[in-house]
Amino acid sequence: MLPTSINAIEAYSGANGILKKVKKGSLLIDSSTIDPAVSKELAKEVEKMGAVFMDAPVSGGVGAARSRNLTFMVGGVEDEFAAAQELLGCMGSNVVYCGAVGTGQAAKICNNMLLAISMIGTAEAMNLGIRLGLDPKLLAKILNMSSGRCWSSDTYNPVPGVMDGVPSANNYQGGFGATLMAKDLGLAQDSATNTKSPILLGSLAHQIYRMMCAKGYSKKDFSSVFQFLREEETF
Amino acid sequence: MLPTSINAIEAYSGANGILKKVKKGSLLIDSSTIDPAVSKELAKEVEKMGAVFMDAPVSGGVGAARSRNLTFMVGGVEDEFAAAQELLGCMGSNVVYCGAVGTGQAAKICNNMLLAISMIGTAEAMNLGIRLGLDPKLLAKILNMSSGRCWSSDTYNPVPGVMDGVPSANNYQGGFGATLMAKDLGLAQDSATNTKSPILLGSLAHQIYRMMCAKGYSKKDFSSVFQFLREEETF
Amino acid sequence: MLPTSINAIEAYSGANGILKKVKKGSLLIDSSTIDPAVSKELAKEVEKMGAVFMDAPVSGGVGAARSRNLTFMVGGVEDEFAAAQELLGCMGSNVVYCGAVGTGQAAKICNNMLLAISMIGTAEAMNLGIRLGLDPKLLAKILNMSSGRCWSSDTYNPVPGVMDGVPSANNYQGGFGATLMAKDLGLAQDSATNTKSPILLGSLAHQIYRMMCAKGYSKKDFSSVFQFLREEETF
Amino acid sequence: MLPTSINAIEAYSGANGILKKVKKGSLLIDSSTIDPAVSKELAKEVEKMGAVFMDAPVSGGVGAARSRNLTFMVGGVEDEFAAAQELLGCMGSNVVYCGAVGTGQAAKICNNMLLAISMIGTAEAMNLGIRLGLDPKLLAKILNMSSGRCWSSDTYNPVPGVMDGVPSANNYQGGFGATLMAKDLGLAQDSATNTKSPILLGSLAHQIYRMMCAKGYSKKDFSSVFQFLREEETF
């Protein structure tokens, strides 16, 4: 599980890389969140060595890892999925087969892009509602029983005081850092450019997290976008 | 229940308007979705006549109306809410007190802005995933068990073939038209400008629905944004 | 010359407003930058009193005012333009007839929206180029001899050190404040919503200035958007 | 002069690529518009062979090529620039030294990103103004004497009927196709992601050209964004 596409390429194709020594018939599972195009490239190289490569990016944080509750999204040859599932099942309660190599990454990237959009949307809606005179807890309750409901509003609300046990209740410490979200949105952006898919909101969400990182929010949980938008005009 | 702020002002303050004849002690409930600033203005005028004004915009479509399952979001003097609830309860299963006059509108506007953002986000994520090789039903399933989950993905999925009984299963007929969504986003935009609240995604969502209306989608359900984004490059 | 639509309405229609006392045949020229729909409304009221109303918003700062170099964009009945021109010519070197009442506002709003977009675009392009290793002065020179050329790049460059005598050379003091730009973009937004015109970049520019105002830039010149985008990631 | 980064890599590093046979001391000039990071990579490989690589993307269309009026933006070792200039000067009247390898690309990409932003901004401002009742020629004249002035408004106006001899006067035929603009914006996007530079408007401009390509505008001149935004709501 490596931080970037470049690291993964180096680990496989570098001077002392896995490809130099891998035995035929080995099953190689990469849980990095990287560009699906890179996963496909690595799979080709691994296949030339007579081994098998699967991409299996992971979802869920430190807590989920401790309690074996991670989610793995797996891409690769379907015949090999059972073997991967056996191993990954030790760490994760959800091991989902997504299709050909690269689709594990694709599923992860699409989910996180939608997550970023919903989170910023929730932050904007909550902030607007508060300025229009609504009580934040009441507004969250209304959204959650209506069509605005989403994971960011009902499970991970970004407004301090609305929920307990989430980063917004703890000064946005812990959780999933804005930097990591910016990175995943960069991957979504690259994949969208490569496939010529329009992502108007996804692309703007990317830029918003990019700005947040440059303005002191890089290590705060990504739900701190509420705080970022919240600051008041002072004139 | 009138279509625009201008219609509501005319109905109250026009030459033959309600304000000319309203009796002292009357309870006036307006279920239009309009600018909360207008609701506040009307409430002041009504109060001068010795009557009471409440804003109570409604959520839910024709089906919900038939089965008395509408949601009413009510703003106004708290003492009068019981009276409003008695009446509105005949049509709606959820009658929620939101606070002072105008907060009913505020709740409705914030919900619909978040809905528009989540719907476009779902459409972008589903489209990107499909282009990256994922099966739409599988991708929807993964999103719905992950942090990308939202009403637009799990209850009203915009991709044909993923769910039954929703507008995307019926060529985007019925449902909540793109024009109506554009109108509600215009209200959100106005309220955000008035309160100096930044709504980056909300504002872009507004422009996207504005474009859709100009390109033949005005009468289709608002989930047709998937189709709008989906069209393929043909070169 | 009043700051907002509300002030202008009060000045004309208020308890002690101009409309109470205006003499028949008077020429009333309003140089406020306000909603063109309000200008049209005021013109109707003034006409009922037998007088004439023209909107004539102004462009150019304190320096231009001192040297009689202001630009006036005038909307109203064409027959009355000569009279307006005679008066306004004492303060401005450019007095442009734009068409019916409200078109002076329209011209001002459209210009300032394009200005805001070009300025943010210049700031983004300069910042990206600098990060890619280009010298700012050289990049500005290249843009100015190419198709990226605009007033913001060749006359009012937002990057400190590129030009003398502009706000970017003086810590963004003086000039046209970010708050005023946010206000004008709010008017553009309202006009676009009323006429159902899509303004994707204009709308996002509005939100960017809105955010800047909330983050300490409200009194800085609007070219400080370069500084706003420039701040470095620190991790 | 090759269309994409992949083509350039193949031409240099492919099985029959330039790198297989290049003689020591050769000067290799690449006029493709590609990712500056790829130019840098190719320069390293070329240097290993004892030769010199320069990136020199070009600006100006068929007309400029015929009349030797192209602009070349050149990146590479400064000592070699005189040699490059001698050759490129036969085709271009402007040969600009931009700095180290890759800065030619950087200058081209930044210019075209600003161009795309200004063009869309001009289209939005002209469309809004027309809907507010302004004559297009008059509005263009006002913008061009004011702070909204840009190359897209004064040299290449996107509104039919405003100028002669530009694509908007010829049904958007000829000129610089929307597909090519989408490609250049994709490069800007990649460079911005790599350098963590926020490009809010640049990124949205990218998505707008992406959508246009999917909706039948791919071969029209990029100024056809006016037509794309212009279509009227019909309800």
Side-chain angles (χ1 to χ4, degrees), chain B residues 189-190 193 198-199 203 206-207, chain C residues 189-190 193 198-199 203 206-207:
Chain B
Q189 186 87 64
D190 289 347
T193 300
I199 50 161
S203 183
H206 179 202
Q207 302 304 318
Chain C
Q189 186 87 64
D190 289 348
T193 300
I199 51 161
S203 183
H206 180 202
Q207 302 304 317

Side-chain angles (χ1 to χ4, degrees), chain B residues 179 186-187 189-190 192-194 196-200 203-204 206-208 210-211 214, chain C residues 179 186-187 189-190 192-194 196-200 203-204 206-208 210-211 214:
Chain B
T179 307
L187 292 172
Q189 186 87 64
D190 289 347
T193 300
N194 290 339
K196 297 182 177 170
S197 310
I199 50 161
L200 289 103
S203 183
L204 183 51
H206 179 202
Q207 302 304 318
I208 292 170
R210 196 58 77 201
M211 275 202 298
Chain C
T179 307
L187 292 172
Q189 186 87 64
D190 289 348
T193 300
N194 290 340
K196 297 183 177 169
S197 311
I199 51 161
L200 288 102
S203 183
L204 183 50
H206 180 202
Q207 302 304 317
I208 293 170
R210 197 58 77 201
M211 275 203 298

